[in-house]
Amino acid sequence: MPTENSELVQKRVRLTLTKEESIQIQKMIGLQRITRKRFKKLLMGCGMQRNDAEVVTNAFRESKIQYTPLAVQKVIEIINMEAEKEEK
């Protein structure tokens, strides 16, 4: 966080990656695209019923949101937050 006397310095860095390196980075941060089938199976593996997983998957497809492991994690986090709110 800049102080009164300091300046905010922004630098741009350009990296050139091979396709394999790009895929590896995407895997590490959970942004690599996965198939619709795998997306549903990951949701079901987290305890979601098959029909509910199908509804979520259809919503992603209709909204043109990519299927990623990070998206699965976010869906499960939202479900858990809503369940906690209902318990209170």
Side-chain angles (χ1 to χ4, degrees):
M1 184 139 187
T3 61
E4 278 184 59
N5 298 328
S6 67
E7 293 180 27
L8 179 61
V9 178
Q10 293 182 353
K11 294 184 179 183
R12 292 181 187 221
V13 177
R14 173 172 258 162
L15 296 173
T16 304
L17 302 172
T18 64
K19 185 174 182 179
E20 292 79 21
E21 292 169 333
S22 176
I23 290 170
Q24 196 63 27
I25 290 172
Q26 289 175 10
K27 278 184 182 180
M28 286 182 352
I29 58 177
L31 293 177
Q32 183 185 26
R33 287 184 276 178
I34 56 178
T35 64
R36 175 183 171 87
K37 181 178 181 178
R38 175 128 178 86
F39 187 78
K40 283 188 346 186
K41 288 197 178 273
L42 288 172
L43 289 173
M44 292 183 333
C46 293
M48 189 177 282
Q49 295 296 317
R50 183 181 305 273
N51 290 340
D52 295 335
E54 182 67 28
V55 169
V56 171
T57 306
N58 287 337
F60 268 68
R61 184 181 63 220
E62 290 168 7
S63 300
K64 297 182 180 175
I65 301 172
Q66 293 182 352
Y67 305 125
T68 63
L70 191 61
V72 172
Q73 180 181 349
K74 191 64 179 173
V75 168
I76 298 304
E77 286 175 4
I78 290 170
I79 290 169
N80 288 340
M81 286 178 8
E82 292 299 320
E84 288 175 8
K85 284 181 186 176
E86 288 179 9
E87 288 178 1
K88 291 182 179 180

